[in-house]
Amino acid sequence: MIHIRKGTFQECIDLSYKISEFNTPYKIEEYKTRCNGKHLPLIAEIKNQPIGYKIGYDRFKNGNFYSWMGGVLLKFRRMGIASSLANFQEKWATKNGFTSILLKTRKKHNGMIAFSLNRSFVIVKITPTIPAKESRIWMQKTLTSKKIKVT
C-alpha cells in the first residue's frame, strides 16, 4: 500500500540522488532558497521505505503552485506512485487557495510529458534550447474550485 506524507528537504534530496534522470541533484541550500514561503515536500512510502517524492512551492505568487521536483525510484515505477503524489499535491494546493499547478520539464523527458498530459495539463510555453532535447516545456493544470479535504 502506498502512503503519502509530508516530508523534509533532506528526504527529497536523498531520493533525488537515487533517481538516474537527475544528473546533478540540487543541494539543500537550493531547497531552502526556493521554498522559503508556502511549500509542500511530499514523500511516498511502501512499508515505511521512501520510494518517491514531489516538492512544490509558491514560486510566482500569482495563484499557481509550482510543482518543482519529483521522482520515483526505478524499481517502483508504473505502480501509481507518481499519481498518488500528484493527487495529494493537487488536493493540498486547492485547499490552500491555489488555482492551478504549473510545472516545467524538458523535451527529453517524454514520460513526464505524457504523465502530465494524461492528468489534464496543457502545454503553455516552450523555451527552445540547443540541444533541442533540453528545451523547456511549461505545463499547467487548472484546479477545481471545489473544496477537497486533505488529511
Side-chain angles (χ1 to χ4, degrees):
M1 183 165 145
I2 302 165
H3 175 68
I4 307 296
R5 65 172 173 79
K6 291 182 181 177
T8 67
F9 294 154
Q10 192 59 55
E11 287 176 302
C12 294
I13 292 165
D14 291 346
L15 279 163
S16 72
Y17 276 96
K18 298 175 183 176
I19 296 172
S20 62
E21 288 87 350
F22 299 136
N23 301 333
T24 54
Y26 291 107
K27 307 281 187 226
I28 198 160
E29 293 78 19
E30 186 70 20
Y31 280 74
K32 289 178 179 177
T33 298
R34 288 178 181 251
C35 302
N36 64 359
K38 195 173 269 193
H39 63 279
L40 179 67
L42 296 174
I43 299 295
E45 298 175 321
I46 293 180
K47 296 181 181 176
N48 294 318
Q49 176 188 359
I51 56 165
Y53 79 101
K54 189 167 195 66
I55 185 164
Y57 64 98
D58 189 8
R59 178 176 177 174
F60 299 104
K61 314 278 190 260
N62 64 359
N64 292 308
F65 189 74
Y66 182 62
S67 184
W68 175 39
M69 297 285 296
V72 175
L73 298 178
L74 186 60
K75 176 179 168 183
F76 296 95
R77 292 184 186 172
R78 302 215 173 265
M79 296 173 59
I81 290 134
S83 291
S84 294
L85 286 161
N87 289 341
F88 192 108
Q89 183 183 70
E90 290 172 16
K91 288 175 185 175
W92 180 91
T94 299
K95 180 181 176 187
N96 284 272
F98 293 94
T99 57
S100 67
I101 301 283
L102 186 66
L103 64 85
K104 177 178 62 173
T105 189
R106 295 175 191 231
K107 187 176 180 181
K108 67 182 178 182
H109 296 305
N110 293 327
M112 183 62 187
I113 294 167
F115 173 78
S116 300
L117 290 171
N118 285 334
R119 293 190 60 81
S120 301
F121 279 78
V122 295
I123 296 171
V124 294
K125 181 180 176 183
I126 298 173
T127 307
T129 63
I130 297 173
K133 68 181 181 176
E134 297 296 330
S135 294
R136 291 357 181 230
I137 311 293
W138 288 86
M139 304 180 82
Q140 185 174 31
K141 177 180 181 176
T142 300
L143 299 171
T144 178
S145 59
K146 181 180 163 188
K147 296 287 182 189
I148 301 170
K149 185 178 179 183
V150 178
T151 56

